Amino acid sequence: MAGSIVIGAGMVGLATAWHLQEQGVEVTVIDRTGVAAGSSWGNAGYLTPGKTIPLADPSLWTYGPRALMDPNAALHVPFRVDPGLWSFLAQFAARGTMRAWHRAMAALTPIDNIALGAFDELTHRGVDSWTREGPYVIGFTAEAHAAAFVDEAARVASHGQVVPVTRIDDPRSMVRQLSDAVKVAYRLDGQRFLEPGPFVQALGDAVVARGATLRTGDTVTGVSSHGVPTVILNSSERLSADSVVIATGAWLPHLARTLGVKVRVQAGRGYSFSVDTEQPIDYPVYFPSQRIACTPYQGRFRIAGTMEFRRPDEPLQARRVQSIVNEARTLFTGMDLDERHDEWVGSRPVTPDGLPLIGATRAEGVYVAGGHGMWGIVLGPATGKLLAKQIVTGEIDPILEPFNPLR
């Protein structure tokens, strides 16, 4: 093939570009801001296939209504007239059954199982960055909450994943900063983590070093395929290629909906910040009940959380940062939560059924890769590898069949 245009320079877009290059394709990457400018930068950097699971489950029916009334809850929905948002939430809630959870988990498991190997392929072949083994420390303030996590891990394992979960006798033996409120802890092995911004930047550098053209500051306003796939920029410039990949995260519907991709993609915004700690913390820490995910990050400790359903370009809501701080104060000691660095909000692309959108649109030669929800980082390289193969050979890997964007 002569060339491909990839719209979006996050993990998914750049991984697709890298794998297209592996297939001998010349690539141009376009992003309106820059590399890792969206949700690829400030997330927790979790590479946890064992936790890459459907977002909706039966607990949504009990947790959801309580969360709407709790200003500190991780789930936040603004009360406003927004028919599109409320339609999405109705579809999302309808998947809050165990039957739907197992159906989605069966679809996710095959790509989960190749996710970490896809990172090794990148780092062994020129991407100058790293991934690191855990273990993860999973903390709880009550035994009942821990039991729900262990049950969930068993359900994931029943679909064919290896999810090694072991109880820790003393929660503070691995992370001394855990407060006395943390009564129960488990370690989760077999998973990794990374520093997401630096990793995605290294991936972008590798793609450029292989000969790609990276155009930043250009906004794509449309994609057409009348004879040849064509990208239209805000400057009215038109760029044509043998194939076009739309990998724009929560903004994917702006370009893909007119191409037959009708599955709604809703921005599920996450927040994070980093803090200094009196003593280093060596392991990622996760609190499932509070939905707080923490990771060592460039000498500090990154704390992330919240699922806020707003429009993707709305400004950061300081109240959401404060809600994470309020929860973290009860869970940690030995860190200065008032001196925060790199406060951030990023818009994750959430679909109602919890499955990504990967594959061809109705426009010949135009493809999408997105809708991964919270799992764009961990599934990005595997997504790029599978989609690049489909673009070049025309063969759809069975792993991708449940993720048909025209479903």
Side-chain angles (χ1 to χ4, degrees), residues 100-159:
W101 187 95
H102 279 290
R103 185 167 57 247
M105 191 70 244
L108 288 168
T109 294
I111 195 169
D112 287 353
N113 281 336
I114 67 171
L116 296 183
F119 278 92
D120 292 337
E121 187 171 1
L122 294 177
T123 56
H124 292 167
R125 293 179 56 80
V127 177
D128 186 18
S129 195
W130 52 265
T131 67
R132 190 167 298 160
E133 295 281 348
Y136 279 68
V137 176
I138 317 296
F140 306 91
T141 57
E143 191 73 53
H145 298 159
F149 167 78
V150 173
D151 175 70
E152 179 185 83
R155 282 188 275 124
V156 174
S158 74
H159 282 271

Side-chain angles (χ1 to χ4, degrees), residues 39 55 60 63 67-68 70-80 82 85-86 88-89 92 250-251 264-272 290-291 304-324 344-351 373-374:
S39 59
L55 294 180
L60 181 66
Y63 173 76
L68 292 177
D70 181 357
N72 287 326
L75 176 64
H76 180 70
V77 180
F79 288 103
R80 60 167 58 149
D82 188 338
L85 172 59
W86 292 106
F88 165 83
L89 291 173
F92 184 75
W251 294 265
R264 184 172 178 85
V265 177
Q266 170 65 46
R269 305 190 336 154
Y271 287 74
S272 74
Q290 292 79 10
R291 276 76 168 178
T306 296
M307 177 62 77
E308 179 192 49
F309 289 121
R310 284 182 182 269
R311 299 183 185 95
D313 285 315
E314 290 191 43
L316 180 147
Q317 306 291 309
R319 184 69 187 84
R320 305 316 307 156
V321 174
Q322 190 59 49
S323 71
I324 300 173
W344 171 90
V345 61
S347 295
R348 300 163 297 196
V350 182
T351 60
M374 298 196 301

Side-chain angles (χ1 to χ4, degrees), residues 2 23 42 70 95 136 164 173 177 189 195 218 221 250 264 337 360 375 388-389 394 406:
Q23 302 275 358
D70 181 357
R95 269 75 175 191
Y136 279 68
S173 63
Q177 290 88 347
D189 288 287
E195 293 180 344
D218 290 320
T221 58
R264 184 172 178 85
L337 290 165
W375 318 127
K389 175 186 173 183
L406 302 179

Side-chain angles (χ1 to χ4, degrees), residues 18 43 61 72 97 157 170 196 211 227 232 291 337 339 351 357:
W18 191 92
N43 63 84
W61 292 100
N72 287 326
T97 68
D170 177 8
I232 302 97
R291 276 76 168 178
L337 290 165
E339 187 66 31
T351 60
L357 306 167

